[in-house]
Amino acid sequence: METVEDVTRMRLVGGDLALDFVNTRSGPPVGPPDDDVLTGYPELTAWGVHAGALTQAEATALRRLARDDPAGARATHSRARHTRDYLDEIFRSLAAGRSPSRSVLARLRDDEADALGHAQLDRAGTFGWTWRDDRTLARPLRPVVHAAVQLLTTGALDRIKVCGGCRFVFNDESKNRSRRWCSMDDCGTTEKIRRYVAARRTRATR
Ligand SMILES: [Zn+2]
């Protein structure tokens, strides 16, 4: 079983909260994922803290709430996974140059309406949505859903890409839009080694 510690080892390479949420499942570029860190409600709150969507105090309060309402916590964990499924579908479609279906966009709209229904406008320079006073189990999902809408409505959609070496999605913020890997330390390095070995093999057989 995953521990809360495993969640905090998850790399945040998406460049966006919604994409990092999609990346809580990892694995090869095609086929089913081979790892999932969202194994339960406590892991969802731990990921929220790790990704900067929740404070430690909020996470602690939410875990207490979850202990008092195990059925609600299970339902929210299941909702989180469904949310991740449709966000995955939306951003993977865009990365492949396709438009997401109307039905997944409608789900996102409904969840955004729900998220904003629990938000307040707080001033930090300009005004922005915060969930400081939201004491509901779905609190960790609110900023994720809102980030997805923000990315869709104000982001450069042609910058949304899938890693060439794994299933991670990311927002390519490089100047010339040339980023191909979730991270140079992982998939980028693996690819460099692969090319090096291939080139050496070619030289050796000449
Ligand atoms: Zn990768």
Side-chain angles (χ1 to χ4, degrees), residues 33-138:
D34 55 22
D35 195 19
D36 181 353
V37 297
L38 290 190
T39 48
Y41 190 83
E43 285 73 16
L44 176 65
T45 61
W47 179 84
V49 173
H50 178 54
L54 291 177
T55 64
Q56 193 65 59
E58 285 175 318
T60 304
L62 286 168
R63 283 201 280 267
R64 203 175 304 131
L65 201 63
R67 274 196 297 274
D68 294 341
D69 180 10
R74 269 196 304 277
T76 308
H77 174 233
S78 162
R79 179 177 169 183
R81 291 167 79 140
H82 285 123
T83 303
R84 185 178 57 185
D85 282 344
Y86 78 70
L87 291 180
D88 189 297
E89 191 179 329
I90 289 173
F91 291 109
R92 220 167 281 281
S93 295
L94 289 170
R98 295 190 311 267
S99 278
S101 71
R102 292 173 66 94
S103 63
V104 286
L105 292 173
R107 287 203 55 179
L108 177 59
R109 175 209 53 205
D110 291 347
D111 281 346
E112 171 75 338
D114 186 34
L116 295 186
H118 288 84
Q120 63 189 71
L121 275 169
D122 273 332
R123 189 167 185 172
T126 56
F127 284 89
W129 298 111
T130 73
W131 286 269
R132 264 190 315 139
D133 294 340
D134 182 12
R135 303 276 185 268
T136 59
L137 285 168

Side-chain angles (χ1 to χ4, degrees), residues 163 165-166 168 181-183 187:
C163 176
C166 76
F168 278 7
W181 316 107
C182 60
S183 141
C187 292

